[in-house]
Amino acid sequence: MVLNIFRRFLPKYLHGNFVSANIHTMLEIEDINKYTDPYLYKIFPLIIKYAKDDDVEKIIFECFDLLSCDMELMCRYMANYSCKEFLVHLLLFDIWDYKLTPKKHQILSLLREVLITHLNSIGACYCNYYFPAEIDDNEPKIKQPINLKPPQKSPKELKDLIFSINKVYNADNLKDFEITNILHEIIYNYSKNHFYYVLRDECIWKIEIRYNVEYKVEKAIIGEISQYNLINRDREPCLIDVKTGLEIGIGRQIKTPFIKNGNTIMLQINTYDSFLGTNERIIKALTFKPVQCHWCNPDTSITNEKVKCERCRILLNELNDFNSNIYKKGAQKSDLNKYVTSIGINEVANLSELRKRRKELLISFVNENKKYIDDKELIETVKSSIKDSFSSHIAYSQL
C-alpha cells in the first residue's frame, strides 16, 4: 500500500537508469536522481524493516546539515515522530499538510529532495552488489553458477531474468542482522566520509551530494560523480582515479555484478562476508588523497618549495649528497628544486603523468652524472628513491 502511494505521488524525475548512465568526463556535476532506476522503491522497504533507528537518524541529520538547518528546527520537526515515521513524513508531507506556509513548504521540499537523493544512492550501492534473493524451499537449487549468453533483451526483461536467476542461485540467504549491518556500513561511511559509491562491472562511481542555493528547489540538490576505473587483474588489482590517473591498490579482486568470459556472461552473487571485505577496501581506496608535496603532488595555489612529503624530503637529502659528490668532481651543481619543477603541472594531463615525467627527468639526471660517482650503492639508492617518490601506483598497504 505504501509503495503504491509512493509511485503515485513522488516526483517523476526519479525515473531514470543508473545502470545505463554514461559518464565520459573525469568529474560531472549532475542531478544524481536522473541516473536511478528508481532505487528508492527498492531500498525504502529495507530501510523501514531492517535499518537501525540511529542510522535512519543519521540520514535525516545529513539532510538537515546539507541545507544548514539548525538542530532546533530538526528537533521541532521530529518531535512527534520516530525516525522512520519522520522519513515517511518527509517523503509524503504534501499529501496531507495543506496549510503549510510557503517557507515551511520550501524547506520540506528541499529536505525531501536531498532525502530522495540519499535513499537512491544508498539503494544504488546496495542493489549493485546483487545479494542473494529469497529462495523458496520448494524450488530446486542449482549447485553451479549459471552462464548466460549475452541476452538480446530489453532492460526490464533482463531484470526479470536476473531476478529469476537469483531465486534459484545456490547462495545462503542474508540474515536479518546482516541486512541491518550492510545498511549500517553504507550509511556510516557517508556520515564519516561524505560519499556513497556504486559498484559497476568496469568502474566504481563515487557520489558526493551538494546543495546549490542559487538553483530552483527541484534542481538545487546536485551530485558530484567521480569515476574510478576498476582493473580487476589477478595480481595487484587496483582502481584508477580518472581525475589524477593514479593507480590505487585494493589488495584483492572485487566481485563485480557480472563477469565476462569470452562470449559468456556470468552473474556473481555477493555474500555478507564478501561485502564486508570489498566495502572496506573500496572505501580505503576512495578516501585516499595524496599528501600535498611541492614535487610529487604540487598545489598550484602554493609555491612554497619547502612543502614536501616525507619520501620527497628523503629523496632531496639523497640528491643533495649526489649533487655534492659530482660538484667535487668538477660537474656543475644543479638547483634541484628548479630542475624538478621545470616540468609544470600545467604541461601535463594529470598527476600521474606529472610524476612519470619528473621521475624520468631525475633518472636522466642521475644517469648523466653517475660517471662522477664512485659509490655505486648511492646511485642505486637515489634511483630507487626517485621511483618511490614519483610512483603512480599506491599499494594497498600504503592506504
Side-chain angles (χ1 to χ4, degrees):
M1 177 66 180
V2 173
L3 293 183
N4 289 333
I5 294 175
F6 284 165
R7 291 189 177 95
R8 181 178 176 186
F9 289 102
L10 284 179
K12 293 181 180 179
Y13 64 73
L14 288 174
H15 300 274
N17 194 336
F18 204 112
V19 176
S20 65
N22 192 10
I23 293 182
H24 296 288
T25 58
M26 290 186 291
L27 182 66
E28 265 191 28
I29 300 177
E30 292 285 355
D31 172 12
I32 299 300
N33 296 302
K34 78 178 186 178
Y35 292 118
T36 56
D37 180 22
Y39 287 109
L40 174 64
Y41 307 143
K42 299 176 183 179
I43 201 64
F44 181 78
L46 296 179
I47 294 284
I48 294 298
K49 185 174 181 180
Y50 297 108
K52 298 177 182 178
D53 285 344
D54 288 350
D55 289 331
V56 174
E57 187 177 49
K58 282 189 178 73
I59 299 171
I60 296 171
F61 172 82
E62 293 296 340
C63 296
F64 275 81
D65 188 54
L66 183 70
L67 302 177
S68 298
C69 297
D70 57 45
M71 290 301 100
E72 182 182 347
L73 180 62
M74 178 177 172
C75 293
R76 190 162 64 246
Y77 277 150
M78 293 185 65
N80 298 319
Y81 303 99
S82 69
C83 291
K84 292 181 181 180
E85 287 172 343
F86 190 62
L87 201 70
V88 176
H89 174 70
L90 282 181
L91 290 172
L92 305 173
F93 74 90
D94 51 0
I95 293 178
W96 54 75
D97 286 345
Y98 299 107
K99 298 180 180 180
L100 292 175
T101 63
K103 183 177 180 181
K104 186 174 180 181
H105 190 280
Q106 183 181 40
I107 291 173
L108 290 175
S109 295
L110 281 168
L111 285 169
R112 176 167 65 189
E113 293 284 334
V114 68
L115 173 62
I116 287 171
T117 303
H118 275 278
L119 293 177
N120 279 332
S121 299
I122 293 168
C125 181
Y126 184 97
C127 293
N128 276 272
Y129 268 97
Y130 286 101
F131 293 113
E134 291 297 326
I135 299 175
D136 191 330
D137 290 336
N138 296 321
E139 292 192 32
K141 295 182 180 181
I142 295 177
K143 296 296 182 182
Q144 298 296 328
I146 295 177
N147 290 341
L148 302 173
K149 292 183 178 179
Q152 302 296 320
K153 295 179 179 293
S154 70
K156 183 180 184 307
E157 289 173 328
L158 181 56
K159 284 177 192 176
D160 292 341
L161 177 61
I162 290 171
F163 177 74
S164 66
I165 291 170
N166 281 351
K167 286 187 66 176
V168 296
Y169 194 93
N170 185 31
D172 292 335
N173 290 347
L174 288 178
K175 299 177 177 63
D176 288 2
F177 83 89
E178 292 175 338
I179 299 175
T180 298
N181 287 347
I182 290 169
L183 293 173
H184 169 75
E185 291 295 332
I186 294 171
I187 295 165
Y188 175 77
N189 172 60
Y190 190 89
S191 180
K192 181 181 178 181
N193 299 310
H194 298 288
F195 69 81
Y196 297 107
Y197 69 86
V198 179
L199 177 63
R200 306 185 74 216
D201 291 321
E202 297 178 350
C203 67
I204 290 174
W205 285 347
K206 178 180 179 181
I207 299 173
E208 297 169 271
I209 300 172
R210 304 281 187 252
Y211 168 52
N212 191 325
V213 69
E214 297 179 358
Y215 288 7
K216 293 181 180 179
V217 170
E218 62 272 15
K219 295 183 178 180
I221 308 305
I222 57 178
E224 294 182 2
I225 302 177
S226 302
Q227 181 168 309
Y228 290 73
N229 293 335
L230 174 59
I231 310 299
N232 222 6
R233 56 199 172 206
D234 293 335
R235 296 186 61 186
E236 297 186 337
C238 65
L239 298 178
I240 298 180
D241 183 346
V242 173
K243 185 177 180 181
T244 65
L246 296 179
E247 291 187 3
I248 307 170
I250 49 178
R252 74 178 188 194
Q253 287 182 303
I254 288 176
K255 188 182 287 186
T256 56
F258 293 93
I259 186 171
K260 297 177 183 178
N261 184 10
N263 292 326
T264 302
I265 299 175
M266 186 170 70
L267 181 68
Q268 297 198 108
I269 302 296
N270 270 280
T271 63
Y272 174 64
D273 289 335
S274 68
F275 163 79
L276 292 179
T278 299
N279 181 64
E280 179 183 4
R281 291 166 188 274
I282 288 176
I283 289 173
K284 276 190 176 182
L286 298 189
T287 52
F288 169 77
K289 291 183 180 179
V291 177
Q292 182 193 332
C293 175
H294 185 58
W295 280 11
C296 69
N297 184 34
D299 184 341
T300 54
S301 65
I302 300 174
T303 57
N304 187 353
E305 64 186 34
K306 292 183 179 180
V307 178
K308 291 185 177 66
C309 66
E310 172 123 7
R311 286 188 174 189
C312 288
R313 284 198 298 270
I314 293 171
L315 173 60
L316 177 59
N317 291 334
E318 292 173 352
L319 285 170
N320 281 332
D321 289 342
F322 185 90
N323 215 7
S324 297
N325 277 302
I326 66 174
Y327 180 67
K328 290 175 185 177
K329 297 293 182 68
Q332 185 176 358
K333 198 170 185 178
S334 301
D335 184 328
L336 292 168
N337 273 307
K338 286 185 178 180
Y339 190 73
V340 170
T341 56
S342 62
I343 299 175
I345 188 70
N346 295 325
E347 301 174 36
V348 295
N350 54 37
L351 179 59
S352 177
E353 186 180 340
L354 179 73
R355 289 187 175 188
K356 180 182 177 182
R357 289 187 57 184
R358 287 185 173 181
K359 177 178 69 176
E360 291 171 348
L361 183 70
L362 285 174
I363 293 290
S364 177
F365 169 76
V366 171
N367 287 336
E368 288 171 4
N369 293 283
K370 65 182 180 181
K371 59 188 175 184
Y372 300 107
I373 304 295
D374 297 326
D375 187 351
K376 303 302 181 184
E377 186 175 341
L378 174 61
I379 296 171
E380 293 308 314
T381 298
V382 172
K383 283 186 176 181
S384 178
S385 293
I386 291 170
K387 291 174 183 176
D388 285 345
S389 285
F390 293 97
S391 173
S392 292
H393 180 82
I394 292 85
Y396 180 71
S397 59
Q398 296 175 245
L399 300 181

